Amino acid sequence: MSDAFVKKHGLLYSSDLHTVIGVDDTSTEFKGRIPYGARAVDAEVFSDCPYQSVSIPDSVKEIGPALFENSKRLETVKLPANITELPAYLFSGCSALYKVTMPSTLSSFPEGLFKDCASLPDIPFRAGVKELPEDFMSGCTSVKSLVIPNSVEKIGPHAVANCTSLESLVLPVSVKEIADDAFEGCNSIHNIRIEGESELFFIKDGSLYQNTVNGEKLLIKAYSIVNEGVNFYKDNVDDEPIEANDEEDMEDDDTFFSAEIGASDEELELCKGDEAESKASNESSTINNDNTETIDNKNEGNKEEKMEDNNIDSMLADIMGEEKKRNEVSEDIAVSDKESEVLAETMAVMEKDAPKPGVIVTNDELENLFSKHEEEVQASLNEEVVDEKELDKKAKILVDSVEFSKVLDFEPTGEVPSDPVLFVIAEKTVETANGKDFSPKLIACCKTFARIHDFRHVVMLNGLPLDNEEFEQFYFHYINKKNVILACEAESPATLSDYCKKICEESRISLDKDELNDQRKRVTVKTDTLIKLVIRDKYDA
């Protein structure tokens, strides 16, 4: 440790206050939450620490190796949202750890990341991860079901070793290499499955074998065989079991986006009631892109319970049956004390001239908005302490750049995910008595998704100016690492409009049938994996 340090907030900082280098043992001020502003946290700062929970702010871009190693009391950790790389053995030996809020920007996992995390019930995988490295989750004795992402190509030595409670395993067809001892000591496995046809691996008598030049090689032994349907959990979430026969039925469905978004008559009447009472209510608000607030009443009492107890739509009926059995939770819409503010420079640009009908900004204005001011926007983001309940500034810029938008604000009742915002791109809108709006069934669907995942905001957008090169670049770099749903008119990828195809491309929404089916299942259970989905809207006012 350097001789030059500063004591603040119960922590030890570098002299420039950019790096947390330790905990101040002479103070009791630090309670587990690092204040916003630090840019890095040194290695082993919280190793063998007494804290049950530690939260690292989003201002931090770098954390050191073994940061939490052997912290036996540590139960929950929130990592910064924008960090792109994790160090080796970050949580090694954290035997009480059961919840980690992971950043969505990761594309790889380091060696020994969750080694001996004996209380961790599931692994927070990330899309794009290609390898489970050595000792990645060895000794995770509470994991019962493991679905390895379809991007993984290699499973290293002892990667999943000694997971003694592991019973069900789903391997992706993308796997090309599995170390001989990768699953050593996993002596409770009795259900193994490969997602697709693999040339290298196959199941025989319930066990996993590999084709080699010398013949068949046993890799994972199944210790017992169960002939009945097996519960597999997408992303290893215990909330919602997916029966094997349900998956087969879904794969046989030729309608990629399934039926249009449907809501019961009671749900629609409740939505209409909300609109009728909205002018008199001050308990919640939605933000429109013309900088006016539309007041929308808070759902209460039996109305709320009835809304959440119904199937939200026929599209998801086959996978939402169990959702109705979840504990009923009141959905409180958060109240903003002021309207969303875009950067001062941006607002000046926006207010210069009245926009043409159907166009919120001109190409010249967009160029100023996304090119000229980008450096200033980033600088302000780095310096400003961001209120987690507010949209970030780039999201606000996006809201103000489209033809029509609405932001639904919520007060989560559970653990807020690392990315608490869902973006919904609607191909069309409807005309109501109060003017242009999104379809009631889409709004009802979004509210249910928000409740399931504990989102703070659902940002609904229509009319993205993707023909503007500056906006397109801005949109792509911002949205591809965000939760995003496209609500469209088409029934399948073949009938998607060019506009919707471009939305999918820019948003990194895969149109592969298996991936869409997988996302349809994920959206109905709470995970910390990015949502990238296409659903079919029904445009009834």
Side-chain angles (χ1 to χ4, degrees), residues 17 68 163 236 266 275 277-278 389 419:
L17 296 179
F68 300 102
C163 294
N236 311 307
E266 292 178 355
E275 291 178 3
E277 297 173 18
S278 63
K389 293 186 178 180
D419 188 355

Side-chain angles (χ1 to χ4, degrees), residues 287-305:
I287 304 171
N288 291 327
N289 62 339
D290 57 358
N291 296 323
T292 62
E293 287 191 351
T294 302
I295 307 302
D296 180 51
N297 69 302
K298 183 187 296 183
N299 295 325
E300 298 178 329
N302 293 332
K303 278 189 176 183
E304 173 62 24
E305 295 175 1

Side-chain angles (χ1 to χ4, degrees), residues 92-144:
S92 177
C94 297
S95 55
L97 185 69
Y98 70 86
K99 173 67 177 179
V100 180
T101 301
M102 298 279 280
S104 58
T105 51
L106 297 175
S107 59
S108 64
F109 284 137
E111 179 179 328
L113 180 60
F114 297 114
K115 187 176 187 295
D116 294 328
C117 292
S119 298
L120 196 65
D122 50 66
I123 304 299
F125 285 119
R126 282 293 171 268
V129 172
K130 293 186 177 181
E131 180 182 358
L132 304 188
E134 184 173 356
D135 279 321
F136 167 65
M137 55 174 289
S138 61
C140 288
T141 54
S142 292
V143 174
K144 295 182 178 180

Side-chain angles (χ1 to χ4, degrees), residues 135-398:
D135 279 321
F136 167 65
M137 55 174 289
S138 61
C140 288
T141 54
S142 292
V143 174
K144 295 182 178 180
S145 179
L146 187 65
V147 180
I148 296 176
N150 57 18
S151 58
V152 172
E153 298 177 357
K154 179 180 179 180
I155 303 176
H158 273 247
V160 194
N162 300 317
C163 294
T164 53
S165 297
L166 183 62
E167 299 176 355
S168 298
L169 172 66
V170 179
L171 294 165
V173 72
S174 59
V175 171
K176 302 296 188 293
E177 181 181 346
I178 301 177
D180 290 348
D181 59 356
F183 291 85
E184 185 177 78
C186 297
N187 51 18
S188 296
I189 294 180
H190 55 257
N191 294 301
I192 306 173
R193 178 175 155 193
I194 302 175
E195 289 277 17
E197 295 293 330
S198 173
E199 297 180 358
L200 293 174
F201 306 103
F202 63 95
I203 307 294
K204 185 174 75 172
D205 297 330
S207 298
L208 181 72
Y209 287 80
Q210 180 179 358
N211 287 317
T212 71
V213 292
N214 298 320
E216 301 175 356
K217 180 172 71 172
L218 176 64
L219 281 179
I220 307 176
K221 179 182 178 181
Y223 285 84
S224 62
I225 305 298
V226 177
N227 293 322
E228 299 176 356
V230 179
N231 289 340
F232 291 100
Y233 296 81
K234 286 298 178 185
D235 288 315
N236 311 307
V237 179
D238 291 317
D239 312 43
E240 182 95 30
I242 304 296
E243 298 289 345
N245 58 353
D246 288 341
E247 290 189 5
E248 293 169 2
D249 292 341
M250 187 171 288
E251 290 169 0
D252 291 337
D253 184 2
D254 292 330
T255 305
F256 279 68
F257 308 145
S258 193
E260 66 275 1
I261 294 174
S264 68
D265 292 338
E266 292 178 355
E267 287 176 325
L268 294 180
E269 287 303 317
L270 288 173
C271 287
K272 292 177 182 177
D274 287 347
E275 291 178 3
E277 297 173 18
S278 63
K279 294 180 181 179
S281 172
N282 291 316
E283 294 182 338
S284 64
S285 66
T286 58
I287 304 171
N288 291 327
N289 62 339
D290 57 358
N291 296 323
T292 62
E293 287 191 351
T294 302
I295 307 302
D296 180 51
N297 69 302
K298 183 187 296 183
N299 295 325
E300 298 178 329
N302 293 332
K303 278 189 176 183
E304 173 62 24
E305 295 175 1
K306 190 176 293 182
M307 168 76 82
E308 295 187 353
D309 196 47
N310 287 322
N311 277 332
I312 186 60
D313 60 61
S314 57
M315 178 201 72
L316 296 171
D318 56 340
I319 53 175
M320 295 225 11
E322 292 299 319
E323 169 58 22
K324 295 194 301 180
K325 298 178 183 178
R326 293 163 65 96
N327 293 330
E328 296 177 350
V329 180
S330 293
E331 178 184 318
D332 294 325
I333 310 294
V335 181
S336 283
D337 293 331
K338 60 180 180 178
E339 299 174 352
S340 293
E341 296 179 357
V342 186
L343 295 171
E345 292 274 349
T346 301
M347 291 303 295
V349 171
M350 305 290 282
E351 293 172 359
K352 276 183 180 179
D353 302 299
K356 298 177 181 179
V359 180
I360 191 63
V361 287
T362 66
N363 284 343
D364 289 341
E365 290 169 335
L366 282 170
E367 183 176 353
N368 288 333
L369 180 61
F370 303 114
S371 181
K372 177 181 176 182
H373 297 285
E374 179 67 18
E375 201 170 302
E376 297 173 18
V377 172
Q378 189 58 51
S380 66
L381 285 174
N382 290 338
E383 295 172 4
E384 183 179 357
V385 177
V386 178
D387 185 343
E388 293 182 353
K389 293 186 178 180
E390 295 292 329
L391 288 176
D392 65 49
K393 291 185 177 180
K394 290 192 176 183
K396 293 176 183 178
I397 290 175
L398 183 59

